[in-house]
Amino acid sequence: MKVAVVGATGLVGGEILKVLAERDFPVTELLLVASERSVGKQMEFKGKQIKVIGMQDAIAAAPQIAIFSAGGSTSTEWAPKFAEAGIVVVDNSSAWRMDPSKKLVVPEINAKELTKEDKIIANPNCSTIQMVVALNKLHEELQAKRIVVSTYQSVTGTGVKAVEQLMNEREGKEGEKAYPYTIDLNVLPHIDVFQDNGYTKEEMKMILETKKIMGDDSIRVTATAVRIPVMGGHSESVNVEFEKDFTLDEVYRILNETEGVKVVDDVKNLQYPMPKDAHGKDDVLVGRVRLDETQPRTLNMWIVADNLRKGAATNAVQIAEYLVKQGLV
């Protein structure tokens, strides 16, 4: 299996390499692909040094799968060229997510929709992935009507520049800024660009992607996305109203049966999900599960996951694993 990682030198690209190695993905040849300024750079994979190549060379090398994490404009330009060459693209940008002709995949939920005809497969937004992993089985059994989510998102979701800004501010050093304001000891209710309706693009991603992944346009979703000075994972406060009545025991049973979810919920012993506990792990952690006492059939929960792993790299590699297992590549 010849695999290309496009955007290999970025934060998510590095995480993809780590996940491929950890999960022992059947790579016979790995192509590391990046922008022209990184071509020729050496990177390590499983103890071997590999030279970074450019886009055209990657296409010419004819990998079976290309995992893209190089931004929307790069994906818009290059993913179709890879696909035309018969290479299956798993794309981590927002470029193809809401394209009706492209599948938006979280393997635990809807990988079964994939076919050999799917040459560009979209990886969802990080904050959407962890929420739908936690909610989908509950939705299947209890029918979610309305979701209200507020996010508390790590600076790693923005990239290397944001991490450097946070650490520079923490150390009192001047440097390049990823955000319009200080992020250390601060909170920014602003992720991605503002839209005409007053929501940010990140909030609209969560609203639209949730319906597409869960395959139900009737679910009403509203979101507020917030950046906090944390590294290691995204957290979400989620309030869900269901059609069917339920008990907390039923909710815990469903969550414990949900693939990819780990319940961490023992408030008597101060056990609840935190970003530092999710860092470096693939589980979606769920806790603070409780009834909303203001209206019937409504649940509050707290959802945490490593945004670079399950929110990006791991989900993409899981899609690739499914393609291999099902003989779709």
Side-chain angles (χ1 to χ4, degrees):
M1 180 65 52
K2 194 186 287 191
V3 178
V5 176
V6 179
T9 55
L11 265 187
V12 175
E15 209 65 33
I16 290 167
L17 298 181
K18 204 185 292 182
V19 173
L20 286 169
E22 282 176 17
R23 295 174 75 93
D24 209 20
F25 188 86
V27 180
T28 52
E29 185 182 343
L30 183 67
L31 306 172
L32 302 182
V33 191
S35 62
E36 287 304 316
R37 68 176 180 274
S38 296
V39 169
K41 181 180 175 182
Q42 295 275 350
M43 294 182 71
E44 189 180 307
F45 180 73
K46 288 190 170 181
K48 291 181 186 170
Q49 290 295 316
I50 303 173
K51 194 177 282 189
V52 174
I53 61 174
M55 295 291 198
Q56 292 289 6
D57 286 343
I59 293 172
Q64 284 99 324
I65 297 173
I67 303 176
F68 271 61
S69 189
S73 57
T74 301
S75 293
T76 303
E77 180 183 358
W78 286 97
K81 294 175 183 176
F82 276 72
E84 282 163 20
I87 303 160
V88 178
V89 173
V90 180
D91 182 52
N92 199 47
S93 79
S94 60
W96 307 99
R97 289 175 188 156
M98 295 315 299
D99 184 326
S101 69
K102 306 291 184 287
K103 308 279 171 61
L104 183 64
V105 175
V106 175
E108 295 90 336
I109 298 172
N110 61 346
K112 58 188 177 294
E113 294 175 9
L114 292 171
T115 68
K116 279 199 167 184
E117 280 64 56
D118 294 307
K119 294 301 182 195
I120 298 176
I121 302 160
N123 208 38
N125 181 44
C126 47
S127 42
T128 307
I129 289 174
Q130 66 188 69
M131 185 172 79
V132 297
V133 166
L135 290 185
N136 190 66
K137 198 166 172 56
L138 287 166
H139 172 58
E140 285 177 356
E141 294 205 24
L142 304 173
Q143 182 60 52
K145 283 174 65 176
R146 182 170 187 259
I147 301 167
V148 181
V149 53
S150 296
T151 72
Y152 304 72
Q153 293 180 226
S154 163
V155 294
T156 56
T158 307
V160 175
K161 202 161 103 174
V163 174
E164 288 172 353
Q165 178 179 340
L166 174 61
M167 299 319 292
N168 284 341
E169 288 169 354
R170 196 146 284 192
E171 293 162 19
K173 293 186 339 199
E174 286 299 317
E176 204 178 352
K177 291 191 179 293
Y179 304 119
Y181 299 103
T182 299
I183 184 64
D184 192 29
L185 298 178
N186 197 18
V187 165
L188 304 180
H190 170 195
I191 299 179
D192 215 320
V193 295
F194 283 98
Q195 310 291 287
D196 290 342
N197 63 358
Y199 285 74
T200 63
K201 194 175 175 187
E202 180 81 1
E203 291 158 355
M204 292 310 300
K205 286 175 194 172
M206 292 195 76
I207 291 165
L208 298 170
E209 290 177 24
T210 297
K211 298 179 184 198
K212 184 171 178 178
I213 297 161
M214 291 167 74
D216 190 341
D217 282 335
S218 73
I219 307 171
R220 292 172 294 154
V221 186
T222 188
T224 302
V226 180
R227 187 74 66 192
I228 62 171
V230 160
M231 286 194 285
H234 291 349
S235 306
E236 297 171 349
S237 171
V238 178
N239 178 276
V240 198
E241 181 186 357
F242 294 100
E243 287 280 359
K244 297 178 184 174
D245 213 349
F246 58 86
T247 65
L248 281 182
D249 283 345
E250 282 178 274
V251 170
Y252 282 119
R253 172 189 61 78
I254 294 166
L255 287 171
N256 281 312
E257 290 173 0
T258 300
E259 186 185 351
V261 163
K262 182 180 179 185
V263 176
V264 182
D265 199 7
D266 180 4
V267 292
K268 286 179 183 166
N269 292 301
L270 308 185
Q271 298 295 306
Y272 34 71
M274 293 181 286
K276 72 178 186 62
D277 300 322
H279 184 58
K281 298 186 177 73
D282 292 328
D283 291 324
V284 173
L285 310 181
V286 179
R288 297 297 319 280
V289 178
R290 62 211 187 276
L291 297 175
D292 180 339
E293 297 184 343
T294 67
Q295 65 174 12
R297 301 184 302 281
T298 304
L299 189 71
N300 285 306
M301 58 207 302
W302 179 250
I303 302 169
V304 179
D306 186 324
N307 53 294
L308 294 184
R309 288 188 64 101
K310 184 53 186 168
T314 303
N315 198 76
V317 172
Q318 285 175 313
I319 293 171
E321 287 173 341
Y322 182 87
L323 294 171
V324 172
K325 188 178 176 186
Q326 298 300 320
L328 300 176
V329 288

